[in-house]
Amino acid sequence: MPDWEPDDSFHKITDGEYNGVRYVREALEKAKMPAFGKRIVTSRDPGIREVEELLLRPNMPEGVKKGQLPIIISAGRPSFLFITSVPPGCHVKRHMHPDDAITRIVISGSITLEGVELTQGDWAYVPNTVPYSYTAGPYGANILHMYNCGGGDDDPKYDVWKIHGFPGGGLSILPGPPKSTVPLSWFSKPPTESQSEKAAD
């Protein structure tokens, strides 16, 4: 099976809105879901399964199923929730997310992440800009993960990323790599051309 090349289009911004927010809104509209309002919502609610199908990520490797949950945490810099089913032995190649700090919880099965085996109930926090890879165990894995969109600092006035390190995630801000070292296509809000030149000096 080829390496998994993650697609982070959900954290890109289109017309001033994160794509992940737009994907959820459009799925709810297409499924004709009423506003949730102030009530408990579950995966068993009528119409939610259709929404989940509409929110499945395209272009995944054979056997991998990744779906965004119709839950947006915060409206400014949103956090998105996903559930991913990974087949046995599937390898996610080493990569990093400059925008997103990620929390992963293994629901079932196992993965080996940067040399550490994680099984059911284990979790990992990956700060933005920190490279990582993982491989599913012999029985595959089901993983809940949350991306904190804009987990670093995608404001073009900053020349370097702000890493949301552990412990505490956003409570521990550490200096990150220069933005000039990261391809502009990886940014939610690419720095302006003049800012990119300044960062490269």
Side-chain angles (χ1 to χ4, degrees):
M1 175 180 292
D3 285 343
W4 181 359
E5 183 68 44
D7 171 14
D8 288 342
S9 60
F10 64 89
H11 78 184
K12 302 295 184 186
I13 295 174
T14 303
D15 296 330
E17 181 177 48
Y18 281 97
N19 287 334
V21 175
R22 183 167 54 86
Y23 296 158
V24 168
R25 187 182 66 253
E26 290 175 352
L28 292 171
E29 289 172 354
K30 190 167 186 179
K32 297 182 172 55
M33 292 291 295
F36 293 145
K38 293 175 67 174
R39 68 175 180 85
I40 294 172
V41 181
T42 77
S43 57
R44 300 286 183 161
D45 286 15
I48 290 292
R49 294 299 186 203
E50 180 183 352
V51 173
E52 290 179 333
E53 287 295 317
L54 292 168
L55 288 172
L56 286 175
R57 302 295 305 283
N59 306 318
M60 302 302 292
E62 184 178 350
V64 175
K65 186 176 181 180
K66 180 177 182 178
Q68 182 179 356
L69 299 185
I71 300 165
I72 306 297
I73 302 173
S74 175
R77 283 185 168 178
S79 292
F80 301 127
L81 295 169
F82 293 83
I83 294 179
T84 300
S85 296
V86 187
C90 181
H91 177 67
V92 178
K93 72 178 185 179
R94 196 168 177 80
H95 66 286
M96 66 94 156
H97 306 270
D99 283 333
D100 302 319
I102 303 169
T103 301
R104 297 181 185 275
I105 303 170
V106 178
I107 301 171
S108 63
S110 66
I111 62 173
T112 298
L113 188 151
E114 293 297 300
V116 178
E117 183 181 31
L118 303 174
T119 61
Q120 181 176 343
D122 286 331
W123 58 270
Y125 175 76
V126 182
N128 60 298
T129 79
V130 175
Y132 73 100
S133 66
Y134 71 84
T135 302
Y139 300 104
N142 290 304
I143 308 165
L144 171 68
H145 42 114
M146 180 177 74
Y147 292 80
N148 172 227
C149 214
D153 200 323
D154 52 9
D155 189 322
K157 69 184 177 185
Y158 296 104
D159 292 340
V160 298
W161 286 106
K162 293 183 178 179
I163 301 175
H164 290 238
F166 195 82
L171 300 180
S172 301
I173 307 299
L174 308 170
K179 290 186 175 180
S180 59
T181 64
V182 180
L184 291 181
S185 61
W186 287 20
F187 287 81
S188 287
K189 297 183 229 175
T192 62
E193 187 174 322
S194 61
Q195 190 68 28
S196 298
E197 292 169 357
K198 179 181 176 184
D201 290 341

